[in-house]
């Protein structure tokens, strides 16, 4: 295990694997390196990329082996990524999964040495008529965290943000991973803050909010994912200054290592994606399975 010290004194724990240009894995809600080893997503991606890249898999602040020295703001999490980049040579690409993609995008626009970023299904929900969290989701989440009800916070997230059926949550509670997720439940508001509440209430994405993200960005979604995730990804690809959109046929939000790694490798090796930019709405492209 390695560590870097963030601007506010928070110690950020991370694993390093491979040699080559640096790529930092930015986990989504509840994820940390312990869960990575259980579910084999970030660790699987790291193993596959490591022959060509130096891959950094880190615990976001307040999770796993990373502590939290100061009060949370999104800027503190960006400073955490900045500390990792500085510790690993000053330049890096980012891969953000789900809500971790929102953090990766904000870090990419912060002038901290991010050269390019790839994101998978950032849950920006832009459909007024689509399924999305209730307007009081964030307030209820804050109340559960303030009360110390970590199990309740995880349940609230899974039922009301992810849309998981009650029976699915009940089954999840019987799994060993539940305890690990509950240990990170107090950081769920961090992912909500990185997203911005307006971006999950059916409001359109604002180009000015992401105007500083001038590095190349790869936006990826699964062809079998819910419509709100597909539409949000397409909207994001349209407003970013320098982006391409890729669709993984037959894949859902339950991302598969074999599906994402070749796409990531192509993007990380290539230069700016402008030449292959895809405007999904204009082109009318959809996964053929739909």
């Amino acid at each position: 295990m390695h560590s870097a010290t963030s601007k506010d004194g928070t110690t950020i724990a991370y694993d390093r694997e491979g040699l080559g240009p640096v790529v930092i894995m930015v986990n989504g809600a509840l994820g940390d390196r312990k869960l990575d080893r259980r579910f084999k997503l970030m660790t699987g991606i790291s193993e596959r990329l490591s022959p060509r890249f130096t891959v950094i898999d880190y615990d976001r602040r307040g999770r796993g082996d990373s502590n939290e020295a100061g009060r949370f703001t999104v800027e503190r999490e960006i400073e955490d990524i900045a500390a990792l980049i500085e510790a690993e040579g000053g330049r890096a690409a980012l891969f953000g999964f789900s809500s971790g993609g929102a953090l990766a995008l904000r870090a990419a626009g912060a002038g901290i040495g991010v050269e390019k970023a790839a994101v998978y299904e950032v849950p920006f929900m832009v459909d007024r008529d689509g399924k999305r969290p209730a307007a009081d989701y964030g307030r209820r989440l804050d109340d559960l965290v303030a009360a110390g009800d970590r199990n309740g916070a995880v349940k609230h997230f899974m039922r009301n943000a992810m849309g998981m059926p009650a029976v699915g949550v009940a089954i999840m509670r019987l799994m060993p991973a539940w305890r690990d997720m509950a240990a990170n439940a107090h950081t769920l508001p961090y992912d909500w803050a990185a997203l911005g509440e307006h971006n999950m209430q059916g409001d359109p994405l604002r180009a000015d909010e992401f105007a500083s993200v001038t590095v190349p960005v790869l936006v990826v979604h699964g062809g079998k994912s819910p419509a709100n995730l597909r539409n949000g990804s397409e909207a994001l690809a349209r407003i970013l200054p320098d982006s391409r959109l890729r669709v993984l046929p037959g894949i859902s939000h339950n991302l598969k290592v074999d599906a994402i790694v070749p796409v990531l490798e192509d993007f990380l090796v290539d230069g700016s994606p402008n030449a292959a930019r895809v405007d999904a709405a204009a082109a009318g492209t959809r996964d053929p399975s739909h």
Side-chain angles (χ1 to χ4, degrees):
M1 185 184 80
H2 304 271
S3 66
T5 302
S6 194
K7 186 176 180 179
D8 71 347
T10 293
T11 298
I12 303 299
Y14 66 97
D15 294 325
R16 181 202 299 123
E17 186 171 3
L19 293 171
V22 176
V23 183
I24 298 175
M25 305 282 107
V26 186
N27 231 320
L30 300 175
D32 63 17
R33 292 178 305 135
K34 184 176 182 180
L35 282 165
D36 286 349
R37 289 188 285 270
R38 188 186 298 277
F39 292 115
K40 304 295 185 184
L41 177 58
M42 293 303 203
T43 54
I45 295 171
S46 298
E47 289 169 3
R48 291 279 297 275
L49 291 179
S50 62
R52 303 179 74 176
F53 302 94
T54 298
V55 188
I56 305 300
D57 185 12
Y58 79 103
D59 288 338
R60 287 171 57 181
R61 65 170 46 217
R63 307 183 191 186
D65 292 317
S66 293
N67 66 3
E68 189 160 28
R71 184 175 180 178
F72 169 79
T73 66
V74 175
E75 288 72 25
R76 299 294 83 75
E77 283 220 271
I78 293 171
E79 290 168 0
D80 298 343
I81 295 174
L84 292 171
I85 293 174
E86 183 178 1
E88 293 296 328
R91 309 295 292 177
L94 306 178
F95 171 63
F97 173 72
S98 192
S99 53
L103 176 58
L105 288 172
R106 301 197 189 284
I112 59 173
V114 177
E115 295 182 311
K116 56 177 63 177
V119 297
Y120 186 77
E121 292 191 348
V122 183
F124 292 140
M125 299 184 181
V126 298
D127 299 329
R128 280 289 180 187
D129 298 327
K131 189 174 182 180
R132 60 185 190 274
D136 66 347
Y137 170 82
R139 179 187 59 76
R140 291 171 60 195
L141 179 62
D142 288 341
D143 290 345
L144 288 164
V145 170
D149 186 359
R150 297 195 178 198
N151 288 321
V154 175
K155 180 180 177 181
H156 176 56
F157 166 70
M158 290 185 170
R159 291 282 290 123
N160 301 312
M162 294 184 65
M164 185 179 291
V167 64
V169 176
I171 292 170
M172 284 290 296
R173 291 198 67 163
L174 302 176
M175 295 176 147
W178 182 274
R179 181 178 295 180
D180 297 330
M181 289 187 289
N184 294 334
H186 64 292
T187 67
L188 281 168
Y190 302 1
D191 292 270
W192 186 249
L195 288 168
E197 288 194 39
H198 64 283
N199 289 337
M200 294 190 77
Q201 295 304 313
D203 296 325
L205 295 176
R206 302 194 318 270
D208 63 296
E209 184 176 2
F210 299 96
S212 65
V213 187
T214 57
V215 300
V217 178
L218 174 67
V219 180
V220 188
H221 73 74
K224 281 193 170 182
S225 291
N228 58 1
L229 291 176
R230 301 197 312 270
N231 294 341
S233 294
E234 291 169 3
L236 177 64
R238 285 194 297 270
I239 68 164
L240 288 169
D242 186 359
S243 68
R244 75 163 56 147
L245 176 70
R246 289 291 301 270
V247 181
L248 303 182
I251 302 299
S252 68
H253 197 61
N254 184 22
L255 182 58
K256 305 299 183 185
V257 172
D258 287 345
I260 191 63
V261 165
V263 174
L264 277 179
E265 285 182 323
D266 287 346
F267 174 69
L268 293 170
V269 170
D270 289 344
S272 171
N274 266 333
R277 181 182 173 93
V278 176
D279 186 329
T285 55
R286 292 286 182 182
D287 186 301
S289 65
H290 283 266

